[in-house]
Amino acid sequence: MMIIKSVKLENWAKDQKRVTIGRIRKEFNVSEEVAQDYYNYLKNTGIVGRMGYVNHEKD
């Protein structure tokens, strides 16, 4: 994954309540495989947690 895209992806994900592969595909116009990679990336970075819900930082 390109760094530029990951920043855009992270910013987009942080604005969502829940992230799904389908939503990633629609938003970024990517294939199922790429969307799965993006989703895994978001999970690995801790932005997305269980069931695709976004972990918003608590103030």
Side-chain angles (χ1 to χ4, degrees):
M1 181 190 304
M2 291 165 40
I3 300 294
I4 293 147
K5 231 189 194 119
S6 68
V7 171
K8 187 177 176 197
L9 177 67
E10 288 176 24
N11 289 337
W12 172 80
K14 287 173 185 171
D15 285 342
Q16 309 305 305
K17 187 179 167 111
R18 189 164 180 236
V19 172
T20 63
I21 291 167
R23 279 193 164 154
I24 293 169
R25 285 188 66 185
K26 198 184 285 184
E27 181 70 23
F28 294 95
N29 194 25
V30 293
S31 70
E32 184 94 27
E33 292 78 22
V34 173
Q36 181 69 61
D37 288 343
Y38 285 10
Y39 184 80
N40 293 343
Y41 170 80
L42 291 170
K43 284 199 82 134
N44 290 337
T45 56
I47 293 169
V48 172
R50 267 183 77 242
M51 312 261 314
Y53 286 100
V54 177
N55 296 318
H56 292 286
E57 281 92 43
K58 304 282 185 269
D59 292 323

